[in-house]
Amino acid sequence: MKKPYKREMFYNMTEKFVSFEDVFERILHFVKQDPLAQYAMAIGTDSHGYQSYTKFTSAVLIHRLGKGAWGCLRDYIVPRRIQSLREKISLETSLSQEIAYYVTPEMIAQISDVLLPYVDKGADFTISIHLDIGNQGATKELIKEMVGRIQAMGIEAKIKPDSYVASSYANRFTKRGSIDERRAN
């Protein structure tokens, strides 16, 4: 049986981060490299059921529109295969919300301090949560509930086909091991 990962552990293909504060430092560094750009930060979670567990992968992506991106991931294992679509989508939404709550007003202020002098030249920053649900298939019944949860936080919710952080980036890593699992093999 898979054991749960420490929830605070974030990683990407080359680095591990002990906390979200470490992740934020990388995001802030990325923004400081080009303060004239437009930035879209998105958080999304996807999951994949295996025989005896369900793996959830949450992704944080900061996109410098038209000029690249930086991202990281966090895995969470439920030691059983989740059968209920509602339970699975609800937990995906909750895991994304949890990470969004890590983004403090002070962090937003730090990004704003970097970009504010360049707003008249096009600098911008937005944040959204990407949900792995859409108007096609069984998840359409869950749109109102899950989008409502995100909007209640004051954050924009995106669904398929616009929810690429959940449905593409995080999805890809639900089927792969974490950086620790890959190094162990």
Side-chain angles (χ1 to χ4, degrees):
M1 177 186 324
K2 291 277 188 183
K3 68 178 190 174
Y5 293 97
K6 187 176 178 185
R7 280 174 103 149
E8 293 80 32
M9 183 64 66
F10 290 85
Y11 67 95
N12 62 23
M13 301 317 305
T14 59
E15 302 172 276
K16 286 198 296 187
F17 305 93
V18 176
S19 68
F20 187 77
E21 288 77 18
D22 296 331
V23 169
F24 177 74
E25 287 302 317
R26 293 288 280 126
I27 291 169
L28 188 59
H29 175 73
F30 186 75
V31 170
K32 286 179 177 179
Q33 289 176 334
D34 187 358
L36 293 169
Q38 296 177 350
Y39 292 90
M41 182 173 161
I43 301 161
T45 302
D46 194 24
S47 61
H48 186 76
Y50 294 89
Q51 187 172 356
S52 62
Y53 66 96
T54 305
K55 179 180 180 183
F56 291 82
T57 299
S58 298
V60 178
L61 185 78
I62 182 82
H63 184 195
R64 186 183 295 137
L65 301 181
K67 300 178 184 177
W70 180 87
C72 65
L73 306 154
R74 181 180 76 170
D75 294 332
Y76 180 68
I77 305 295
V78 173
R80 64 182 170 83
R81 184 177 176 96
I82 295 177
Q83 301 292 334
S84 164
L85 182 61
R86 176 177 295 283
E87 180 184 9
K88 189 169 89 161
I89 297 298
S90 183
L91 188 49
E92 288 177 6
T93 302
S94 294
L95 290 168
S96 292
Q97 287 179 291
E98 179 183 0
I99 293 171
Y101 281 122
Y102 292 160
V103 181
T104 66
E106 292 79 18
M107 290 174 177
I108 298 295
Q110 287 182 57
I111 292 171
S112 295
D113 288 346
V114 172
L115 299 179
L116 197 55
Y118 306 99
V119 168
D120 61 336
K121 295 178 180 161
D124 192 25
F125 176 81
T126 61
I127 186 168
S128 61
I129 292 180
H130 291 196
L131 301 169
D132 192 32
I133 57 178
N135 288 311
Q136 305 295 314
T139 62
K140 67 183 171 194
E141 304 299 323
L142 302 171
I143 292 173
K144 185 176 180 181
E145 177 184 352
M146 299 306 151
V147 167
R149 286 171 51 181
I150 304 307
Q151 290 174 336
M153 296 173 67
I155 296 176
E156 180 183 11
K158 294 191 177 188
I159 64 170
K160 292 177 183 177
D162 299 319
S163 60
Y164 57 89
V165 172
S167 59
S168 184
Y169 183 38
N171 173 272
R172 186 174 355 161
F173 290 91
T174 61
K175 295 159 186 74
R176 298 172 68 162
S178 71
I179 194 168
D180 290 330
E181 289 176 314
R182 288 192 304 276
R183 286 182 179 157
N185 293 333

